[in-house]
Amino acid sequence: MSASTRRLPDALTRNVSPKIAFPWVLLGILSPLWFIYARSLIHALIIALIGISPWHGSVSPGDLGNDFLVFWPVGHLATTTDAARIYDPPWFSAWQSSHLMPHTPRYLQFFYPPPTLLLTLVTAPFGFMGGFLIWTLSLTGTGIALLRRARVPWIIIAAGLLSVANLFDMLAGQLGFLTGAMFITGLASVETAPATSGFIFGAIVLKPQAGLLAPIALLARREYRPIVTGTIMIACLCAVITLISGWSIWGAFLLEGMKTSHQILVAPFPTTYEQKGASVFWMVRSLGGSVRVAGVIQTISAAGAIAICFHAWRRPVTDRTALIALTVMLTLLVTPYGYTTDLCGVSIMVAWLVWEQRRLEFADVLIWMWPALCPIIAISLHMELTPLILLLGAIRAYHRLDGIGTTAPACYPASV
């Protein structure tokens, strides 16, 4: 046996610290949950491909059963005289049932702000299945382009795309990957391209809760130019959708859309939504708290997150990636309305921190896989614990603002 051959078993049997090995073992143990989401997404994409093929008669919109059952109709109604009625739950459910599938679940309602309609217009020229494919490719492709603008490494983008959060986001036909990429890119551009950063932050009005801490970061840095450009962007988006759908869209949103979203927010735990929830409000509700108690604790959480964000952006920071990660995680502790699909940005930032540190830890695996674990725990234990996971990630990111725990060889653990 040659010397090189003898060295191979030595390398394979070399002692590895349990602290280093355990996260990889845990990731392997949890991998079947990842495969469930990956398989479901592949299945949905195959259904959509069949839907645009000559054999489309074998599938129906109900076979997808995701939030695209909301986004596709509003994309077709936004330019019609019925645009404002998309916020009328009985009318909208009746339209869905007559044009998409009989007995569409009533919880599939549109209650997003009017500018979100601009996104859905990309589906207007297409049928349901073709529209789903275009919707998925458009949101994902735009998110990738934004992350590359922020100079996020390709391997991190790949990790974000393959994360459970994004697999579920694409399966649900949701906006999490796009809005996560927008927020990350805006934060990364605050000092290098402030005007661009403002435009990106302004565009998050498409789903405002995804970027609630953007103004806090800008004020802490005394970056007023992005605030101006962001305001201009919001005004432009609002003006465009008003021209397309009419003034009545705003009254319908304020009277009916916000009423619907409030009903979903305060519904007793669990419902179809909260089992995959990511808010302090729903966590308190899952533990038996009343709406009032949940509102008070949510307010305290939001105030704390705002204060920490302001302090973090005000002080000198060595690790800019950690600062962005901290802000992304704190933002989800501000909004009372969030889901595991909104953890796409969190998953990207966790992977980025791991890559820079060159070391995987237990907490990284837990956060990255949490969107798969969340519904299991919510259903079996009647507890929505996502805010605790976000708090864990925020604490770890905060500890790294000064470069603590950064790049080290994988075989030499760095202190955290």
Side-chain angles (χ1 to χ4, degrees):
M1 182 182 294
S2 67
S4 60
T5 306
R6 286 195 301 270
R7 284 196 296 269
L8 180 58
D10 292 341
L12 294 175
T13 59
R14 184 181 301 165
N15 290 332
V16 177
S17 167
K19 190 174 182 180
I20 294 174
F22 178 69
W24 293 100
V25 173
L26 179 63
L27 188 61
I29 293 173
L30 295 178
S31 61
L33 295 177
W34 180 89
F35 279 108
I36 291 173
Y37 283 86
R39 183 186 64 181
S40 298
L41 176 59
I42 293 172
H43 178 69
L45 294 175
I46 290 174
I47 288 176
L49 289 171
I50 294 174
I52 61 174
S53 72
W55 305 279
H56 59 84
S58 60
V59 297
S60 68
D63 293 326
L64 289 181
N66 57 21
D67 288 353
F68 195 62
L69 289 166
V70 173
F71 292 123
W72 186 84
V74 300
H76 285 69
L77 292 168
T79 59
T80 71
T81 55
D82 291 320
R85 304 195 72 181
I86 61 177
Y87 290 110
D88 180 353
W91 185 90
F92 188 60
S93 292
W95 194 97
Q96 290 170 304
S97 297
S98 62
H99 291 80
L100 284 177
M101 55 179 286
H103 312 298
T104 303
R106 286 184 58 83
Y107 62 81
L108 289 171
Q109 296 293 327
F110 185 80
F111 42 83
Y112 296 82
T116 310
L117 291 170
L118 295 172
L119 272 181
T120 67
L121 292 177
V122 71
T123 70
F126 305 97
F128 185 86
M129 295 300 180
F132 176 69
L133 293 174
I134 295 298
W135 176 256
T136 303
L137 291 173
S138 298
L139 298 185
T140 304
T142 305
I144 292 173
L146 285 167
L147 292 173
R148 286 303 298 161
R149 181 180 180 83
R151 298 183 179 179
V152 178
W154 276 110
I155 191 170
I156 306 307
I157 295 175
L161 290 171
L162 293 174
S163 67
V164 177
N166 184 57
L167 294 178
F168 179 44
D169 181 68
M170 295 173 71
L171 178 64
Q174 265 294 341
L175 313 174
F177 184 78
L178 174 62
T179 54
M182 292 170 70
F183 195 41
I184 291 170
T185 304
L187 293 171
S189 307
V190 167
E191 295 178 344
T192 58
T196 300
S197 174
F199 283 124
I200 294 173
F201 285 147
I204 299 181
V205 71
L206 299 169
K207 191 174 182 181
Q209 65 265 38
L212 290 176
L213 288 182
I216 305 302
L218 295 175
L219 289 172
R221 286 285 179 181
R222 295 188 176 92
E223 293 284 353
Y224 303 116
R225 186 180 176 189
I227 294 176
V228 174
T229 57
T231 303
I232 293 173
M233 172 60 85
I234 292 173
C236 289
L237 293 176
C238 291
V240 170
I241 194 58
T242 302
L243 289 173
I244 293 174
S245 301
W247 283 102
S248 60
I249 197 77
W250 291 99
F253 167 68
L254 294 173
L255 293 176
E256 295 294 336
M258 295 189 70
K259 178 182 176 182
T260 300
S261 62
H262 182 263
Q263 290 173 344
I264 293 173
L265 177 67
V266 302
F269 184 92
T271 68
T272 303
Y273 290 101
E274 285 96 342
Q275 290 174 358
K276 303 177 182 66
S279 82
V280 172
F281 187 93
W282 284 331
M283 181 180 72
V284 177
R285 293 284 282 156
S286 74
L287 298 175
S290 65
V291 171
R292 178 173 296 181
V293 170
V296 170
I297 297 178
Q298 176 67 68
T299 302
I300 294 172
S301 170
I306 290 170
I308 295 170
C309 177
F310 186 86
H311 169 71
W313 280 85
R314 192 64 179 247
R315 55 172 287 195
V317 171
T318 301
D319 193 331
R320 187 67 56 184
T321 305
L323 180 61
I324 297 172
L326 173 66
T327 311
V328 168
M329 294 177 192
L330 288 176
T331 294
L332 288 170
L333 296 176
V334 174
T335 175
Y337 199 100
Y339 301 100
T340 52
T341 54
D342 297 312
L343 267 64
C344 292
V346 171
S347 298
I348 293 168
M349 295 314 303
V350 167
W352 202 350
L353 290 175
V354 169
W355 178 251
E356 290 192 346
Q357 183 178 307
R358 297 297 195 272
R359 180 181 168 198
L360 182 70
E361 298 179 353
F362 167 75
D364 301 318
V365 177
L366 180 62
I367 298 170
W368 199 76
M369 289 296 301
W370 182 254
L373 296 171
C374 176
I376 297 174
I377 293 175
I379 294 171
S380 61
L381 300 181
H382 201 274
M383 287 190 278
E384 194 266 273
L385 302 179
T386 305
L388 300 182
I389 303 302
L390 294 169
L391 181 61
L392 172 64
I395 291 172
R396 298 178 77 244
Y398 187 87
H399 285 168
R400 298 181 187 183
L401 292 179
D402 296 320
I404 302 174
T406 51
T407 306
C411 56
Y412 296 104
S415 59
V416 177

